[in-house]
Each structure stands twice: as structure tokens, then as C-alpha cells.
Amino acid sequence: MNVKFDLNDIVIVPSTQSEIVSRKECNVKTELNKLPLIASPMDTVVSEENIEKYINCGIIPCIPRGQQIKKFIPSDYFFKSYSLSEIEKILDEVETTHTSSLYYKNVLIDMANGNMTKLINVIKKFKIHFNDINLMVGNIANPETYKILSEAGADYVRCSIGSGNSCTTAANVSINYPLGSLISECRSLKETYHLNAKIVADGGMRNYSDIIKSLALGADYVMIGSLFNKAIESAGFNYLFGVRINNKMALYLWKWKFPIKKKYRGMSTKAVQRSWGKTKLTTAEGIIKYQKVEYTLCQWTENFIDYLRSAMSYCNARTLNDFIGKANFVQITQAAYERFKK
């Protein structure tokens, strides 16, 4: 049996020698002059109220399905999420009337099973009509599917099923592909076949280390939900001792060290299905929980930048292109992981 590995199973090995004297020499921005981070399209993470917070921190936010942005924000700075059926209706509209209401520069087809043949056909049709729009699709849990979606025309592919902190698909359905191996093998296919689609590691990032390992293994971007939900600015409802409070009060009390908690829920929960107007609910593959607020989005981002620069300096990588998919790593035992786990 070919055993696959997860992020806990590896550590990054520094270069034999590094010419970098200070981590400040390392540039952690992408070609879009953004951090390699995408905020997950979850209604307890991103909303119209906080979208500019993410943008100002260099993070690309994804607007959840069913939400609209009424204020003017250039569409270059975020992804707008749609269901597969919504995109199909838009494509039918274009073919029938030769007009479309789709005016965003970046679009996400937000669905759990990105392995569907139906999605592949929609991507091909979408690119015929909207070749100038960046299209993100997924999620997938098979490296070969990444290759197929990229060849179909996808610009970004979300990789991982069942790994998210609020997702129970792997636990109940047994569908998953260990994230470390999935990223690494997708990267290998990308380089071997000169594929264009960006690899987006999506699911279960618990700390800075997981994000940095994902980049080192070959992810072009990392999508984050739970960690961003723990920021005071996140879209999750605020609670103090079980009582819901508004954002302004939550911020004030949190600054005075009160234990504010944020509601966090998976997007396949029945509560979310109801918010989309569904009357026939499917079995939930997500959970609802309450997380303690730990930082501001700015504080978290500043730490991430410093940690990523530090990792890059150890690996003699001055740019993300020098680091992503190029860092050396070794697999470790559980005992080795427990030694430095803190």
C-alpha cells in the first residue's frame, strides 16, 4: 500500500547554506501583490461588513453564496461565490439572450464534490463565454482531478475534501486524501504537464505552520476559515457568556479582556441550507461550534508575514517562487512531532 502523508507528518528542512542575512529580504507577496491567502467563502468568516479588512491586510476574500456586495469595491480584489446550478443558469442566459449579469473579475463555483463530470463540462462552457474571468473550482480529493480541471480551463483548484475544521465529510463518508500528499502530487502534475491552474490548499489549517508547510509542498494559495473566524473582525456572531452581542460591543469588551466567542459553522449544515432558502434539507456534513476570539486580523497577518519570511530565509528563498513547491521536507514519526508540538 502506498501510504500518504498529512501536514503533521513532515517538517521543512533548511538549505545546506542560506545567503539570506535578514528575513526582511524575503518577499511574501504573490504576483498580484497579495499574500498567498484566501479567506474561505463561509458566512461566519466573510461578509460585506468586513471584506475591506481582508483586502487591506493583503488577503483575498471570497464572498459566500447568496450574499451581495452593495458598496463599491473593485472586483479584482475578491472572489464571488456561486453554486454550480447558478452558473449553469447564467450560461443558459448568455446562450439564449447573449447578455449576462455576471460582471465580477473573479468567480468561485462553490461545491463540495469537484470531481463531477458535470463541473468539467461547465468549466469548458464558462471559458468559452467568459475567458477573461478568473474561475476557481473544487473541492477535489484526487490529484488526477486537479489535472483534468486545469486542462478544462480552471484558473484555481481548491484541494481537499473533509479536512476542514467544521467539515465532517471524511469522518462520516470516508472521502479524503491526506493533504500533504495531495498538495505535493498536484504540484508534481502541474510541473510535469505545464498546467496553469493555481493550487489552493483548502481545509483544516490549525496554525501558521500548517499554512507554511502547504506552501512549501506546492500550494500557490492557502484558503482559511477557522483561523480567520477567531479574529474579532470575522463575520461570525459574537457571544459573551452565551448571550449574543453586536460587533461594536464585542470589540469594546474584547479589548477589556472579556472572553468573546464567535459562532463558526460549516457551509453544509442545515442552518446554512435554510439560509439559502432550501426547503428540502440534505443530511449535514458540517458542524457548528463557538471559538474564542484570539486576535485582530491585522495582528494575525503581521505574525504570519514574519513567520513565512523566517521559513523562507532558512530555505534560501527570497521570493515565493523560490519557496513554493521547492522547499525540502522529511517525514517524521509521531514521537518526533510530539517533541516540538506546542
Side-chain angles (χ1 to χ4, degrees), residues 41-211:
M42 306 175 76
D43 61 5
T44 51
V45 176
V46 178
S47 67
E48 181 180 29
E49 186 174 340
N50 68 14
I51 182 173
E52 289 174 297
K53 294 281 187 180
Y54 289 101
I55 293 170
N56 291 338
C57 287
I59 299 163
I60 302 172
C62 287
I63 308 303
R65 285 161 54 182
Q67 292 189 15
Q68 300 297 327
I69 299 298
K70 297 175 184 176
K71 65 177 82 171
F72 175 75
I73 300 173
S75 62
D76 306 66
Y77 296 124
F78 62 87
F79 276 85
K80 178 65 178 71
S81 303
Y82 294 88
S83 67
L84 181 61
S85 60
E86 286 174 324
I87 293 296
E88 287 181 302
K89 289 179 182 178
I90 290 171
L91 292 173
D92 288 342
E93 177 187 40
V94 170
E95 294 181 343
T96 303
T97 67
H98 303 289
T99 60
S100 173
S101 57
L102 192 63
Y103 52 86
Y104 297 103
K105 292 264 309 204
N106 305 298
V107 166
L108 163 65
I109 301 179
D110 185 21
M111 57 189 294
N113 184 359
N115 302 67
M116 290 183 181
T117 301
K118 189 175 186 180
L119 173 62
I120 298 165
N121 294 332
V122 166
I123 293 171
K124 292 177 180 178
K125 187 183 291 187
F126 185 95
K127 281 300 179 176
I128 291 174
H129 297 289
F130 302 108
N131 192 46
D132 58 336
I133 293 178
N134 291 314
L135 182 63
M136 187 189 303
V137 300
N139 286 50
I140 66 159
N142 187 320
E144 291 296 330
T145 309
Y146 162 77
K147 178 176 180 290
I148 292 171
L149 296 179
S150 182
E151 290 174 338
D155 300 291
Y156 298 74
V157 178
R158 295 164 70 185
C159 298
S160 186
I161 294 175
S163 300
N165 287 303
S166 62
C167 181
T168 61
T169 301
N172 293 320
V173 186
S174 194
I175 294 297
N176 184 252
Y177 202 102
L179 188 54
S181 290
L182 182 59
I183 297 169
S184 180
E185 291 174 31
C186 286
R187 190 74 195 186
S188 178
L189 288 171
K190 180 176 183 176
E191 294 176 353
T192 300
Y193 295 97
H194 306 289
L195 304 173
N196 293 320
K198 304 288 187 185
I199 299 167
V200 181
D202 174 26
M205 300 296 155
R206 295 158 306 164
N207 47 43
Y208 299 109
S209 177
D210 282 351
I211 301 168

